C-alpha cells in the first residue's frame, strides 16, 4: 500500500470503479487513491484535472477536518483505455494535528506577512487568505493562514504560511524565479 511515493503500472491496471460505465474520471481517481492509501472519502478531494490525446490526469489534495493539507497531494494518470498507468502520493498519516479553530485572525496573519516580508497584500488581485494545514518536518500538521504578498519595487511575490495559532511565518513559497545567464566567449587566434 503506497502512502508516499510513485508507482507506474505498464499498460495499466483497473481501478475500483472500472466496471461502472457511469463513473467519472474524478470519482475513479478518488476511488483509486482511497484504495491505495486506505483513506476516508472526505480526506481525498479533487484539485484539478488535465486531459491530453494519450492520457488523463487527476490531481487531488488530502484534507483533515475539512481543511486542505497544502503539501499532501496525489495524482493519478489514466490511459485512454481507462486504466491507471501511474500514481504518485505525498499523503500522510499524522496523529499530531493542530486544532482546526485558529486563534490568530486572518487580518493579523496578513499584517505579519506584510511586516516580516516587506511586502503588501493586494486585496483586489490576490485570493483571500485561506486556512490550510502544512506538514512539518516531524510529520505534524500546523494550521496556517495562507497569504500572498508582493513588493513590486523589489520584484518579490511570495505565499506565506502563517501559523494560525502562534502567528509565526513557518514557510514561504517564492513565486519569482531569479535567474541570470552569463556568457563568455573564447576566441582562438591563429598564429
Amino acid at each position: 500500500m503506497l502512502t508516499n511515493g510513485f508507482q507506474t503500472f505498464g499498460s495499466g491496471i483497473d481501478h475500483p470503479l472500472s466496471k461502472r460505465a457511469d463513473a467519472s474520471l474524478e470519482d475513479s481517481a478518488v476511488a483509486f487513491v482511497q484504495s491505495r492509501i486506505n483513506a476516508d472519502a472526505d480526506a481525498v478531494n479533487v484539485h484539478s484535472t488535465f486531459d491530453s490525446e494519450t492520457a488523463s490526469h487527476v490531481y487531488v489534495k488530502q484534507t483533515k477536518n475539512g481543511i486542505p493539507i497544502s503539501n499532501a497531494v496525489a495524482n493519478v494518470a489514466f490511459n485512454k483505455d481507462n486504466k491507471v498507468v501511474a500514481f504518485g502520493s505525498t499523503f500522510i498519516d499524522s496523529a499530531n494535528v493542530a486544532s482546526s479553530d485558529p486563534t490568530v485572525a486572518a487580518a493579523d496573519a496578513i499584517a505579519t506577512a506584510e511586516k516580516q516580508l516587506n511586502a503588501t497584500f493586494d486585496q483586489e488581485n490576490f485570493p483571500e487568505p485561506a486556512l490550510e494545514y502544512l506538514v512539518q518536518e516531524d510529520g505534524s500538521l500546523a494550521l496556517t493562514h495562507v497569504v500572498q504578498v508582493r513588493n513590486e519595487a523589489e520584484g518579490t511575490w511570495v505565499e506565506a504560511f502563517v501559523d494560525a495559532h502562534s502567528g509565526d511565518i513557518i514557510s514561504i513559497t517564492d513565486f519569482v524565479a531569479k535567474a541570470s545567464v552569463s556568457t563568455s566567449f573564447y576566441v582562438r587566434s591563429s598564429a
Side-chain angles (χ1 to χ4, degrees), residues 13-122:
I13 61 172
D14 287 332
H15 54 81
L17 304 182
S18 292
K19 300 203 184 311
R20 286 185 37 198
D22 65 338
S24 70
L25 183 65
E26 292 85 353
D27 289 344
S28 299
V30 169
F32 185 80
V33 171
Q34 289 174 297
S35 73
R36 288 289 166 165
I37 63 169
N38 197 24
D40 295 332
D42 59 349
V44 182
N45 292 286
V46 174
H47 179 66
S48 63
T49 62
F50 174 75
D51 199 24
S52 72
E53 291 180 21
T54 58
S56 297
H57 306 270
V58 179
Y59 304 94
V60 299
K61 271 193 171 184
Q62 183 179 9
T63 61
K64 187 75 170 181
N65 303 322
I67 299 171
I69 302 172
S70 183
N71 49 349
V73 296
N75 62 74
V76 183
F78 297 86
N79 64 17
K80 289 302 175 183
D81 294 326
N82 195 30
K83 294 195 178 284
V84 176
V85 293
F87 172 59
S89 170
T90 61
F91 275 34
I92 64 144
D93 183 15
S94 180
N96 188 0
V97 181
S99 168
S100 60
D101 294 320
T103 55
V104 171
D108 293 334
I110 292 171
T112 296
E114 288 180 327
K115 182 179 179 184
Q116 290 187 14
L117 299 170
N118 189 30
T120 305
F121 172 69
D122 183 347

Side-chain angles (χ1 to χ4, degrees), residues 90-169:
T90 61
F91 275 34
I92 64 144
D93 183 15
S94 180
N96 188 0
V97 181
S99 168
S100 60
D101 294 320
T103 55
V104 171
D108 293 334
I110 292 171
T112 296
E114 288 180 327
K115 182 179 179 184
Q116 290 187 14
L117 299 170
N118 189 30
T120 305
F121 172 69
D122 183 347
Q123 190 169 4
E124 290 182 25
N125 296 307
F126 290 161
E128 283 298 313
L131 277 178
E132 293 187 9
Y133 281 112
L134 186 70
V135 180
Q136 302 298 286
E137 283 187 35
D138 65 0
S140 66
L141 296 179
L143 184 67
T144 64
H145 291 287
V146 182
V147 180
Q148 289 186 27
V149 292
R150 176 174 45 205
N151 181 323
E152 290 190 37
E154 293 181 13
T156 63
W157 179 11
V158 299
E159 180 176 64
F161 294 82
V162 181
D163 190 298
H165 295 293
S166 71
D168 298 330
I169 295 175

